[in-house]
Amino acid sequence: MIRKGDISVKKPEIVAPAGDFEKLRTAIEFGADAVYAGGEGFNLRMGASNLTLQEIGEAADWVHQRGRKIYIALNIFARNYHISGIRSYLKRLAAIPVDAVIISDPGVFLTMREIAPHVPIHLSTQANTTNAQSVEFWRRQGVKRVVLARELTLGEIREITDRSQIETEVFVHGAMCMSYSGRCLLSGFMANRHANLGDCSHSCRWHYVLKEEKRPLESYPIVEDESGTFILSSKDLCTIQYIPELFHAGVTAWKIEGRMKSPYYVAAVTRVYREALDRYCADPHTYVCDQRWLSELEKVSHREYGVGFFFGNQGYQSQTTHPGDRYLKEYDYLGTIQNVLPDDMAEVVVKNRISSNTPIEIMGRRLSEDFTQVLLDIRNEYHESIEVAQAGQKVLIKMSRPVEKYFMLRKCG
């Protein structure tokens, strides 16, 4: 809690993505206060692994044992034929002690209130809540938290939170959508994959050219400069440089996008925002943005970074200038330490090819735990020395410094 004049501002909750159980564990281990995950259906990330009802139960127990929270996304815009399935699903979900269900559709909301009135409801960003009156409307319906539309400025967010009597949440990092908080028909039109039912094909990221009606075999790239222009492909959101401004916006929770990203992405991004927020709350008067945080966020796969709408409509500056759907990727994720063994040996689950005599970086839960070393001793499950380990293998690697379970290996790409 930090006092701002006569007002106390509570430390916001960091909510990280959990596309599957591995990412859920990773998010918690690397500093998330809460995770959000999708069940097997009815959420807007059908491409993610998602969790079965049994896994949601196990995840809820695991998270609660560590004093953290779990929210389940049920945020599709449902058609009539979905409702019976949703009713059946909610009857089973209601028996699991999740901390909230994230909903965008009023019909799903009513079904939830009927079947599981004891489960708190968070209103999804897909509901496009852009003003305090809308927040008040949803409060009166029984919503506990509103995830505000991503098109709001920080000034608007501050005004809404000051006037609201329920919790609010905003996205602070991750992919942005060229449509209004994800309400897009382009994917359904181009690929028959419907964004509002969780199956977006990201058609906005595709390459597009101009063709003249009478010259169908001739195509012309739509360019603005040497790199071209891609007016449908938004930059990724990154707000690490604006921690004080975000804090004093007064929202309850900061959300990181990325249920379809890798465990490495979840770990790297979560720990940076965890460290930045903790440092600011510890001493706001001496706080400065650590340049290492920016460097760390460059080490995960991402599009060009921008500030979204927090400082107003950025126009051309909100769109990527890199050709097509290319991600910027400085580092490769090599694997995660599963167990720590005697004699400084670590059991590693390999995610990408690892070669001996290669300089790598070990990534801890905190930036201060990171170190580099050359891989001089890699062994297979039979303790035989090997030169190369492939994705999917479990190997033993000699560590030059103490490590812990869940630490990760990476190398500059």
Side-chain angles (χ1 to χ4, degrees):
M1 188 84 72
I2 294 178
R3 294 197 66 82
K4 181 184 178 185
D6 295 327
I7 301 173
S8 294
V9 182
K10 187 178 180 181
K11 188 175 185 178
E13 176 182 275
I14 292 180
V15 184
D20 56 31
F21 214 124
E22 180 184 6
K23 295 173 194 176
L24 181 146
R25 285 193 294 264
T26 300
I28 296 298
E29 291 291 336
F30 281 81
D33 299 301
V35 292
Y36 64 104
E40 288 186 308
F42 314 122
N43 76 89
L44 288 182
R45 284 294 183 272
M46 298 303 290
S49 300
N50 296 314
L51 303 177
T52 65
L53 283 163
Q54 179 178 339
E55 287 173 329
I56 291 174
E58 294 169 357
D61 290 341
W62 191 89
V63 167
H64 292 154
Q65 287 169 8
R66 289 155 179 79
R68 313 297 173 83
K69 297 178 181 179
I70 180 170
Y71 309 133
I72 299 300
L74 195 68
N75 57 343
I76 67 165
F77 291 102
R79 302 292 183 90
N80 286 331
Y81 60 82
H82 288 117
I83 298 299
S84 62
I86 288 173
R87 292 182 66 87
S88 175
Y89 182 82
L90 286 177
K91 287 177 181 177
R92 291 176 289 165
L93 182 65
I96 301 173
V98 298
D99 296 283
V101 172
I102 305 169
I103 289 173
S104 57
D105 184 287
V108 178
F109 173 86
L110 287 176
T111 307
M112 182 75 190
R113 296 293 291 170
E114 174 192 342
I115 292 174
H118 63 285
V119 179
I121 294 176
H122 291 181
L123 190 70
S124 171
T125 191
Q126 260 68 32
N128 305 137
T129 307
T130 56
N131 61 79
Q133 283 293 90
S134 292
V135 174
E136 174 60 15
F137 168 84
W138 286 110
R139 183 192 72 81
R140 295 182 186 184
Q141 310 313 307
V143 166
K144 180 181 180 181
R145 177 184 298 180
V146 172
V147 186
L148 297 174
R150 286 179 280 188
E151 291 73 27
L152 294 174
T153 66
L154 274 175
E156 291 172 316
I157 291 169
R158 279 194 299 269
E159 184 178 359
I160 289 172
T161 55
D162 287 346
R163 293 171 56 186
S164 299
Q165 300 177 51
I166 61 173
E167 298 177 357
T168 55
E169 178 174 302
V170 297
F171 279 90
V172 298
H173 194 94
M176 295 286 282
C177 184
M178 58 78 59
S179 291
Y180 213 97
S181 284
R183 291 197 173 196
C184 183
L185 297 175
L186 186 63
S187 175
F189 177 75
M190 300 288 289
N192 199 31
R193 290 174 53 183
H194 300 280
N196 301 317
L197 297 179
D199 196 28
C200 183
S201 64
H202 303 287
S203 306
C204 55
R205 317 288 187 185
W206 297 354
H207 296 250
Y208 291 93
V209 297
L210 177 68
K211 287 192 176 184
E212 199 277 323
E213 180 182 10
K214 296 182 179 179
R215 297 175 176 80
L217 299 180
E218 298 180 22
S219 61
Y220 306 89
I222 305 171
V223 297
E224 180 142 337
D225 56 27
E226 291 181 356
S227 298
T229 181
F230 302 89
I231 61 173
L232 299 179
S233 188
S234 299
K235 290 181 179 179
D236 281 2
L237 177 65
C238 177
T239 62
I240 196 65
Q241 293 175 282
Y242 304 101
I243 296 299
E245 292 88 343
L246 281 166
F247 183 89
H248 289 290
V251 297
T252 309
W254 296 356
K255 178 173 275 184
I256 297 166
E257 184 276 338
R259 278 193 284 145
M260 294 178 66
K261 299 292 181 64
S262 70
Y264 166 62
Y265 174 95
V266 173
V269 175
T270 301
R271 73 170 185 159
V272 165
Y273 280 87
R274 173 84 275 157
E275 183 169 309
L277 177 59
D278 288 350
R279 189 177 299 180
Y280 178 75
C281 290
D283 189 353
H285 301 294
T286 62
Y287 173 88
V288 293
C289 181
D290 192 326
Q291 292 303 304
R292 291 184 304 165
W293 299 334
L294 292 166
S295 175
E296 278 298 302
L297 295 176
E298 291 292 342
K299 292 179 181 179
V300 300
S301 179
H302 65 282
R303 297 182 181 89
E304 284 186 278
Y305 284 133
V307 294
F309 294 86
F310 280 151
F311 299 98
N313 192 333
Q314 303 296 303
Y316 171 71
Q317 296 301 318
S318 68
Q319 307 303 315
T320 182
T321 58
H322 278 263
D325 194 25
R326 291 183 188 172
Y327 281 83
L328 306 175
K329 186 179 179 183
E330 289 190 2
Y331 276 67
D332 293 324
Y333 169 38
L334 300 180
T336 299
I337 294 176
Q338 188 173 62
N339 287 302
V340 179
L341 306 174
D343 300 323
D344 298 320
M345 298 297 290
E347 184 181 68
V348 176
V349 178
V350 181
K351 300 294 184 179
N352 283 294
R353 176 188 169 100
I354 298 176
S355 301
S356 63
N357 297 309
T358 301
I360 66 163
E361 186 173 310
I362 309 299
M363 191 184 93
R365 291 182 179 85
R366 293 168 290 278
L367 271 69
S368 60
E369 297 173 326
D370 293 359
F371 65 94
T372 58
Q373 72 170 73
V374 175
L375 292 180
L376 298 176
D377 188 353
I378 306 177
R379 306 176 193 177
N380 63 19
E381 57 185 317
Y382 306 107
H383 290 254
E384 301 167 334
S385 293
I386 57 176
E387 294 295 318
V388 176
Q390 303 291 349
Q393 272 189 276
K394 287 185 180 179
V395 297
L396 303 178
I397 296 179
K398 183 83 168 180
M399 293 292 160
S400 62
R401 286 169 54 177
V403 294
E404 296 177 13
K405 186 177 180 179
Y406 298 115
F407 279 23
M408 295 186 174
L409 284 65
R410 65 186 179 188
K411 71 179 180 69
C412 186

